[in-house]
Amino acid sequence: MKRTLKVLSVPFAAMLVLAGCGEDKDEVKNPPVQENENQADTNTETGTDNNNEKLPFAFKDFQLEVDYPGNDNDYEAEYDATGAQTEASIEDEANNHKVLGDEAMKELTPMLEKLTFTKDSKDEEVIQEVTKVFNLKDDYEEFDLEVVFDDGTKKEYKVNNK
């Protein structure tokens, strides 16, 4: 019994080590940058660089989840530049479309650039704008958007139609 346990523990330990070394597949290798080619250090407190230029979007974290009736109809989009690395992903179950990392960032960038809402915008306006820009159907059961703006303000926009 002890021998079997030892034999099984070696592959299990190796699997844990390999899993820990795995690359995060939604990491963006080439995140969008501000227009200026003189890259300055970014001030994470204000969301601007030392030349007072804005970061690529008005927010540094954008987590969208939209649930539709039935199975395999949900939509999720994520952009996260709050840590040392930028991550992006899109999962559109209805269209069987899933992309991660740079490919997701390439698709998300034009949509995120169109968004004009601010932390002071009304919830209904934000939901309408995001639904329009992301070309989402209005018959969702749940709409959940969490945004961290470039000044660190966190807002959540929710609709539950169940």
Side-chain angles (χ1 to χ4, degrees):
M1 178 72 171
K2 287 184 181 182
R3 184 168 186 226
T4 304
L5 187 59
K6 286 181 185 177
V7 170
L8 291 176
S9 65
V10 172
F12 181 71
M15 186 174 62
L16 287 176
V17 170
L18 289 175
C21 296
E23 187 175 306
D24 193 5
K25 295 194 185 303
D26 61 350
E27 179 182 350
V28 176
K29 304 288 187 213
N30 299 308
V33 294
Q34 55 269 34
E35 300 275 328
N36 184 1
E37 292 184 20
N38 295 335
Q39 293 297 316
D41 294 331
T42 299
N43 180 342
T44 56
E45 295 292 318
T46 62
T48 59
D49 70 20
N50 288 338
N51 293 329
N52 290 327
E53 292 185 40
K54 289 297 232 175
L55 292 174
F57 311 115
F59 37 81
K60 49 189 172 182
D61 188 22
F62 182 94
Q63 310 270 334
L64 174 64
E65 290 184 35
V66 184
D67 298 334
Y68 289 96
N71 295 332
D72 300 326
N73 291 322
D74 299 339
Y75 182 90
E76 294 182 19
E78 175 185 337
Y79 164 75
D80 185 359
T82 56
Q85 63 189 26
T86 300
E87 297 178 349
S89 65
I90 298 173
E91 185 171 358
D92 182 354
E93 292 178 350
N95 295 307
N96 199 25
H97 180 68
K98 182 176 181 177
V99 289
L100 304 170
D102 288 319
E103 190 176 344
M105 196 71 244
K106 185 177 179 181
E107 288 184 32
L108 283 173
T109 296
M111 292 185 281
L112 296 176
E113 287 176 338
K114 288 179 185 176
L115 296 174
T116 61
F117 67 87
T118 67
K119 64 183 179 184
D120 299 320
S121 298
K122 293 182 180 178
D123 290 10
E124 301 82 26
E125 293 171 1
V126 172
I127 293 166
Q128 284 180 346
E129 183 178 5
V130 170
T131 302
K132 181 179 178 184
V133 167
F134 280 78
N135 198 26
L136 300 170
K137 296 181 216 161
D138 290 330
D139 65 341
Y140 50 79
E141 289 182 341
E142 282 187 71
F143 179 101
D144 187 6
L145 173 64
E146 292 181 25
V147 177
V148 177
F149 291 91
D150 59 4
D151 68 353
T153 303
K154 183 177 181 180
K155 296 272 301 212
E156 189 169 358
Y157 307 91
K158 282 188 165 234
V159 175
N160 188 339
N161 292 328
K162 285 186 178 180

